[in-house]
Structures are given as C-alpha cells and as structure tokens.
Amino acid sequence: MTHLAPGAPALTPLSRFCLIAGPALIAGYGIIRLLSDSGTPGPGWTAGHLALFCGLALFGPVFLGLRRLAPAGSPVRRRVAAVSSVVALAGLAASLAQAAIDLVVGFRAADGPEMSDLFEQVQSHAAVHLVVYSAGPLLFYAGLVALVAALVSRRGPVTGWTLAAILLGIVVMGVSLDLMPVGGMLFLQALAFVGRTDRARVADAQPVRGAGQYG
C-alpha cells in the first residue's frame, strides 16, 4: 500500500515553467527597451514587444496554477483565489491587447512621428483607451496581488516574501518603464521561489512503497 505525505503536488510542469519564463521575458523586454531607441519602430521595438507579449501570455498558466494552490480547507481563501484569478486574467487580456497593438503599430509606422500618430488614432476611442490602456491593465496587477495574498501562509509554498516581492516589483515598474528589468527580476525571484517550493512538496509527496496500512 502507498502513502502520500501531506502537501500533494498542485502545480503542473507548464505552470512551473511559466513561473520562471514569464517574468524573465518581461525583464528581457525591459532590457531590450533600454538598449534600443524607445518610441521608434525597428528591430528593437519588435523584439522587445514580442518578448513582452510572450511573457504576458505565460502568466495565463501562472494565474491558473496559483489558483490551484488555494488551501482545500479554507473555502473563503478558495473563493478569493477564484475571483482574483478571473480579475487577473481579465487584466491579462487587456495587457495582451495593448502589446499586440504596439506590435502592429511598430510594423505599420515608418518612423517615430508616424508611430505617435497611429497611437493617437487608436487611443482616441474612449472604450479602447479605458479597457486597453488605463483600467484594464491595472486588473492584471490587482488580481495578481489579491491572488498571491489569498495564498500566503507560513508553511508555503506562497509566503510573505512572495507577496512583498510582487508588490515591490509593481511599485518599481510603476515608477518608470526604465525599471522594467528590475521589476521583472523581482517577479522572477518571487514566483520562481513558489515553483521551487512546490517541487519540494512533490518530492515529499512521493509514495512510500512497501508500507503497510499503519506504516
């Protein structure tokens, strides 16, 4: 008969990969942005925004994976995690739309002034500006913070350090886009720790073979 130790595995291999790759690509976008001419179409703009789009897309499995970590014995936490993940996914959709628009504008514009004109045309629509450029992307961060906060416990895998690093990363990126590499690395430190801790839980939960009913 087999026995599983407490703390059965919750994160899928895809979620663990995305916990690292998503923030790393966002940090990569920030680095490319610093090394290229910001606001000018070209290889730097395209490469940076492709990294941003892919990095954001990988947060879909991150949100779903974190939601699965909600403790089964706490209905309130599970409800908060469920609602927060929906909010975060809505913000993710808005953020992806913004990155996609940036890519399209970069492909269509011949130079910086034309790029500015195209952005003005897009953002002149009130609904687009609200959903894609102002309120929408904020849901990404609000949902992420609420989701992580609902999972914090002293025994992990989501700890107070995870929440603190996420909050600091959001503040840093909000101060200046030039600090995107720092914010992305803070996200990486916070979320990669969740992945490492979850792998430890998987190891602890491996079946003990040959044990009887009473061990």
Side-chain angles (χ1 to χ4, degrees):
M1 184 175 181
T2 62
H3 294 280
L4 293 178
L11 291 178
T12 65
L14 175 61
S15 293
R16 294 194 196 101
F17 169 78
C18 293
L19 283 166
I20 296 173
L25 283 170
I26 290 177
Y29 157 72
I31 294 171
I32 295 171
R33 182 180 178 277
L34 289 175
L35 296 177
S36 59
D37 293 330
S38 179
T40 303
W45 177 274
T46 301
H49 283 83
L50 279 174
L52 177 62
F53 185 90
C54 293
L56 288 171
L58 293 179
F59 269 83
V62 167
F63 293 144
L64 296 177
L66 290 176
R67 176 180 175 178
R68 294 183 62 195
L69 294 180
S74 178
V76 173
R77 282 189 165 195
R78 290 185 67 82
R79 283 195 292 270
V80 171
V83 172
S84 300
S85 64
V86 172
V87 171
L89 287 169
L92 173 61
S95 299
L96 285 171
Q98 184 179 146
I101 291 171
D102 290 349
L103 280 168
V104 172
V105 168
F107 281 123
R108 291 186 58 185
D111 51 32
E114 185 178 359
M115 177 179 281
S116 297
D117 290 341
L118 289 172
F119 276 128
E120 286 182 9
Q121 292 176 29
V122 172
Q123 296 181 32
S124 64
H125 300 280
V128 174
H129 189 275
L130 176 65
V131 174
V132 178
Y133 286 95
S134 56
L138 293 179
L139 297 178
F140 175 94
Y141 299 108
L144 174 60
V145 170
L147 179 56
V148 171
L151 304 178
V152 170
S153 67
R154 286 184 295 178
R155 301 181 66 178
V158 179
T159 65
W161 153 250
T162 309
L163 179 59
I166 290 292
L167 286 169
L168 183 57
I170 292 172
V171 171
V172 164
M173 289 187 284
V175 169
S176 172
L177 288 178
D178 290 343
L179 297 176
M180 284 288 289
V182 179
M185 291 306 297
L186 284 167
F187 274 27
L188 178 59
Q189 288 293 318
L191 297 177
F193 176 78
V194 173
R196 290 196 301 269
T197 307
D198 189 74
R199 283 195 293 272
R201 293 171 68 220
V202 172
D204 290 341
Q206 293 301 313
V208 180
R209 302 192 180 281
Q213 181 178 0
Y214 301 102

